[in-house]
Amino acid sequence: MENNSDNSGRPTPDSARSALDAVAASQARAATRISAPWWYHLGLGATLALVFLAMSLRVASWAGAVLVVVVLGLGYAVRRATGVSYERYTSTPGAIKVYGGYILALVLLAAAGMYLEWGAGVHWAIAVAGGVIGVLTVAVGYRVDAVARRDIQAGR
């Protein structure tokens, strides 16, 4: 029996174009919604700065727990606010590069502050390093959002 139908189980050019257009529209919608609100980045930066200040004051026994609670709470809140859940700092190739540079800077700043304060006796060095890390955290957060948005729009 011969089948004269055009529908042989394969997509037609029109249905394929429609599916690709739907994917592009979905990427565009996701890219517009992934940016975290201002309070997310500011909350992370302020929390890290306060943890380093607590280390400088030598009252950091509670700081680790506070850091974990704030990071988890902010993560939950940003998912609720944006409606998007994804690994913000490692979701795209561009975000990974920015975040890798941030981690390197964070480790170097923390190590320098700890050495200066605990090794060389420079008071408040850890607190100053923490302030710089806090500002860097906010700036990098906005940069990661922009890079991830660009990468997602480009389909990466």
Side-chain angles (χ1 to χ4, degrees):
M1 181 182 272
E2 187 175 316
N3 185 358
N4 291 329
S5 170
D6 286 340
N7 188 4
S8 60
R10 287 181 257 144
T12 64
D14 289 336
S15 67
R17 171 56 38 208
S18 176
L20 289 172
D21 290 344
V23 168
S26 177
Q27 285 176 330
R29 276 192 312 274
T32 60
R33 297 187 69 183
I34 63 168
S35 293
W38 65 269
W39 47 262
Y40 175 78
H41 301 300
L42 186 63
L44 286 178
T47 302
L48 280 172
L50 288 174
V51 166
F52 281 87
L53 175 63
M55 289 170 58
S56 196
L57 293 171
R58 292 179 173 47
V59 293
S61 59
W62 54 269
V66 169
L67 179 65
V68 169
V69 168
V70 169
V71 168
L72 292 175
L74 284 172
Y76 175 76
V78 79
R79 283 191 302 277
R80 294 281 310 237
T82 63
V84 178
S85 176
Y86 77 107
E87 287 298 322
R88 176 169 311 284
Y89 298 100
T90 58
S91 61
T92 66
I96 290 171
K97 288 178 186 174
V98 173
Y99 188 60
Y102 164 75
I103 292 296
L104 179 62
L106 184 141
V107 168
L108 292 174
L109 282 165
M114 289 176 190
Y115 169 75
L116 287 172
E117 186 156 332
W118 295 334
V122 178
H123 297 294
W124 301 104
I126 295 174
V128 170
V132 173
I133 288 170
V135 170
L136 186 63
T137 299
V138 174
V140 167
Y142 284 115
R143 182 69 185 136
V144 164
D145 278 352
V147 168
R149 187 173 43 254
R150 184 192 68 218
D151 285 352
I152 289 172
Q153 285 173 337
R156 289 184 226 144

